[in-house]
Amino acid sequence: MILRSLRWRLAIATALMIAAVVAASGVFSSLTVKRELNRRLVTQRHDEAKAAAAMVRDADAAGLRDALARVHARFGTRAVVMNERGEVVMRVPEQLAEYRIDRRPDGTLHLTRRDGGKFESLIVRGVAIPVRGAGTVYFLPSATAREDREFMLAIDRRLVWGLAAAALLAVLVMVTIFRRVFAPVDALTAGARALASGKLDARVDVRGRDEIAELANAFNAMAEGLERNERARRNMVSDVAHELRTPLTNIRAQIEAAQDGVVVADARFLSSIEEDTALLARLVDDLQQLSLAEAGQLRLELAEIEVGEVIERAMSGLDVRGLAVTRDVAPGLVVRADVRRLVQVLRNLIVNAVAHAETSIRIEGRPSPWPSPRERGEGTVEIRVIDDGPGVPPEHVPRIFDRFYRADASRSRTTGGAGLGLAIAKELVELHGGTIRYQKPAFIVSLPNG
């Protein structure tokens, strides 16, 4: 179970890396120190051996012991003098008497002794210097050789303690870093779990500007989006219920009145029922069309068509209530679009203008000199629907293309429908690769010109 945790896997991997680095550093440091120390000792021993040999060569048989004593006192070098038969005739210092010394045919000396019940045996190759009238002098390793070994062991011990302290410090730093790194990760995990449990207001604190902070910002943005979408979903359900309730209530009330004999089921009665039913059907059709458009499942039958012709189709059969309608469309202005869908877009905009205009409506079509980023690299056509009404209040402009959103808080049907027309227009325009926006006093549709 521990190895399934990213925290523990990283901790184990980091600990192994620290151990590998400490081990490699220790081995390298120990080898380097020992190599340099041995090199210095070898050089020193070589110089001492040369000096000792010079001091012994100048001595005669009578002064040999004094010369060896001076060598031992100066360099700590021990010496054994053997005659031609291999017998020891002199030892400097006298402590060498503890050893039994034999010379082997290959020139090496074999030293053996018992020390506290333990048997010690040494094989050394001493430096042999013949001395006239006295025999051959063999220089043995000095007594400091054991001290050198102990010094090497002391170095190893100090390296081990130093590396252990370094490893402990590295572990402490690793733990500190892990706590700082995984604390926000734990907070993100808790936030994600709260979000999954339905607490859409869950947020995490953002500290710093590193990658974890960016992840926290992304999480908060996602949570805000989910909360906003949930709020929009609830509002949409409420709006749909509101829009359906009125015609259904009317139909039910009229049927009950007819059943109770309050009203007569004549042609006028049936016409009223038909009007409410048509309203329900139109609302359902709008919702289905908007859903398909948002899902990108509406099929477009694209063709090149003149903008003037599209505007005429949109105006056909439309009751403008005696308003003055002006058309100003550049001749030969062509767009590539689904004619039926584009007519629907313009008709929605014109109906909206008719509902709010006071005396006149103006429809313009012209090439746009400023293509949007989505349309950059190709020309665009702008179609403007302008009315002389009061316009959309600035506080409502950002939301006028939302589903069921209407600036009329009373939701009076005399000033508009269910609040789906502009939302549908926006989706249809974007399916064509264009944009739609409101810039007082006009709704502006920008489309690629083919």
Side-chain angles (χ1 to χ4, degrees):
M1 294 296 293
I2 289 180
L3 293 180
R4 294 182 182 178
S5 169
L6 177 61
R7 187 196 310 253
W8 281 105
R9 289 204 299 267
L10 287 175
I12 292 173
T14 306
L16 290 176
M17 286 191 292
I18 292 174
V21 171
V22 168
S25 300
V27 172
F28 177 77
S29 300
S30 178
L31 291 178
T32 301
V33 171
K34 289 179 179 179
R35 183 176 65 248
E36 293 299 319
L37 183 60
N38 283 331
R39 184 179 63 81
R40 292 180 65 97
L41 289 176
V42 168
T43 301
Q44 181 180 353
R45 297 289 186 269
H46 180 70
D47 294 340
E48 291 175 356
K50 288 175 62 177
M55 293 171 66
V56 171
R57 286 193 185 97
D58 296 336
D60 54 12
L64 180 59
R65 180 174 291 276
D66 292 336
L68 293 176
R70 289 195 301 273
V71 169
H72 178 69
R74 181 175 179 182
F75 304 116
T77 304
R78 299 176 295 176
V80 174
V81 180
M82 289 187 171
N83 58 23
E84 296 178 353
R85 295 187 298 274
E87 298 172 346
V88 177
V89 297
M90 189 182 302
R91 304 168 191 255
V92 178
E94 292 299 331
Q95 285 82 356
L96 287 177
E98 300 175 359
Y99 290 92
R100 175 183 174 181
I101 303 174
D102 298 317
R103 182 174 63 189
R104 294 185 175 182
D106 59 359
T108 60
L109 300 181
H110 189 196
L111 287 73
T112 58
R113 73 169 179 175
R114 286 189 177 277
D115 184 12
K118 295 182 180 179
F119 184 76
E120 182 180 356
S121 176
L122 299 174
I123 298 176
V124 298
R125 182 180 294 278
V127 179
I129 300 174
V131 178
R132 185 178 55 191
T136 302
V137 177
Y138 291 90
F139 287 124
L140 306 178
S142 66
T144 59
R146 177 178 297 177
E147 297 175 358
D148 293 341
R149 289 194 298 271
E150 292 178 355
F151 179 70
M152 296 290 189
L153 292 175
I155 290 177
D156 288 340
R157 286 194 295 270
R158 291 183 179 274
L159 280 174
V160 168
W161 281 108
L163 292 174
L168 179 60
L169 179 61
V171 170
L172 291 176
V173 172
M174 177 193 73
V175 170
T176 302
I177 293 176
F178 271 36
R179 291 181 65 180
R180 291 181 62 88
V181 169
F182 281 99
V185 173
D186 291 339
L188 282 170
T189 302
R193 288 174 177 167
L195 205 63
S197 66
K199 297 179 180 178
L200 300 182
D201 58 344
R203 302 291 186 272
V204 296
D205 292 333
V206 180
R207 298 179 180 178
R209 298 181 179 179
D210 55 9
E211 291 80 0
I212 299 296
E214 292 181 6
L215 180 60
N217 283 322
F219 175 85
N220 288 338
M222 178 189 68
E224 290 175 2
L226 289 174
E227 188 176 18
R228 185 170 54 252
N229 290 340
E230 177 63 16
R231 189 163 52 247
R233 184 188 67 81
R234 292 177 180 176
N235 290 340
M236 186 190 72
V237 171
S238 175
D239 291 337
V240 170
H242 178 87
E243 294 297 332
L244 292 176
R245 185 180 297 113
T246 300
L248 287 175
T249 301
N250 290 340
I251 293 174
R252 181 177 180 180
Q254 294 181 65
I255 292 176
E256 289 179 352
Q259 290 175 340
D260 294 340
V262 177
V263 297
V264 179
D266 54 7
R268 184 178 178 182
F269 173 84
L270 295 177
S271 176
S272 178
I273 294 292
E274 182 182 7
E275 182 180 347
D276 287 330
T277 305
L279 179 61
L280 285 174
R282 185 165 63 251
L283 178 60
V284 172
D285 289 342
D286 287 347
L287 285 172
Q288 183 182 21
Q289 188 175 37
L290 181 60
S291 176
L292 292 174
E294 289 178 342
Q297 296 181 358
L298 278 181
R299 295 183 56 184
L300 299 180
E301 298 178 1
L302 300 178
E304 291 189 356
I305 185 172
E306 290 192 4
V307 173
E309 182 180 346
V310 176
I311 294 174
E312 290 299 328
R313 291 192 185 185
M315 292 289 299
S316 177
L318 191 64
D319 182 10
V320 296
R321 301 184 305 158
L323 297 171
V325 179
T326 305
R327 302 173 183 80
D328 182 9
V329 182
L333 192 61
V334 175
V335 293
R336 182 173 178 80
D338 184 314
V339 178
R340 185 165 61 91
R341 302 298 183 188
L342 186 55
V343 167
Q344 182 181 359
V345 170
L346 294 181
R347 192 174 184 88
N348 283 344
L349 296 179
I350 295 171
V351 167
N352 185 73
V354 169
H356 296 88
E358 294 180 354
T359 59
S360 64
I361 297 173
R362 181 178 178 84
I363 304 172
E364 299 177 352
R366 66 184 67 175
S368 173
W370 305 106
S372 67
R374 292 178 59 181
E375 300 148 356
R376 190 162 292 148
E378 58 186 44
T380 58
V381 171
E382 279 191 358
I383 304 174
R384 296 172 177 251
V385 179
I386 309 167
D387 65 78
D388 62 350
V392 179
E395 65 271 17
H396 295 289
V397 171
R399 297 193 58 194
I400 57 176
F401 294 102
D402 292 351
R403 291 173 295 186
F404 293 106
Y405 186 81
R406 299 172 64 221
D408 180 12
S410 66
R411 306 185 66 86
S412 171
R413 296 188 180 278
T414 62
T415 57
L420 293 175
L422 291 180
I424 293 174
K426 177 177 180 292
E427 295 296 334
L428 293 178
V429 169
E430 290 181 351
L431 279 178
H432 284 82
T435 59
I436 184 171
R437 67 186 188 278
Y438 176 78
Q439 182 178 329
K440 190 174 182 179
F443 281 92
I444 304 171
V445 177
S446 298
L447 292 171
N449 66 351

